[in-house]
Amino acid sequence: MVSGLLLLAIIFVVIVLVVVTSSRFSINPFISLLPGGILAAVASGMPLQNIIPAITKGFGEMAGNIGIIIIVGSV
């Protein structure tokens, strides 16, 4: 796997890609984040069979952490 400045550059490119596709082309941010996450995983050298499980695990953990905040805010 890639580390150091190259990984930082990959993350920067993916962030710019997500922001541009969301703002300039009016694509839903969730739809922009999925290919961005896959692109970052492939570019960093993650094995292909680990990409989708890593994305779903990350999404599940994120949703679990902010779920209560979203529910309380919507009430």
Side-chain angles (χ1 to χ4, degrees):
M1 291 199 58
V2 177
S3 64
L5 289 176
L6 183 57
L7 183 59
L8 189 63
I10 291 169
I11 292 170
F12 179 75
V13 167
V14 169
I15 289 172
V16 168
L17 176 75
V18 169
V19 169
V20 167
T21 56
S22 296
S23 62
R24 175 88 172 149
F25 300 112
S26 299
I27 296 175
N28 187 316
F30 180 75
I31 303 299
S32 298
L33 283 170
L34 282 178
I38 293 170
L39 176 67
V42 169
S44 68
M46 180 181 277
L48 294 178
Q49 66 270 16
N50 294 347
I51 293 175
I52 299 301
I55 290 173
T56 56
K57 180 183 175 201
F59 180 75
E61 289 177 0
M62 186 264 317
N65 288 335
I66 66 169
I68 299 295
I69 296 169
I70 292 173
I71 291 170
V72 170
S74 67
V75 170

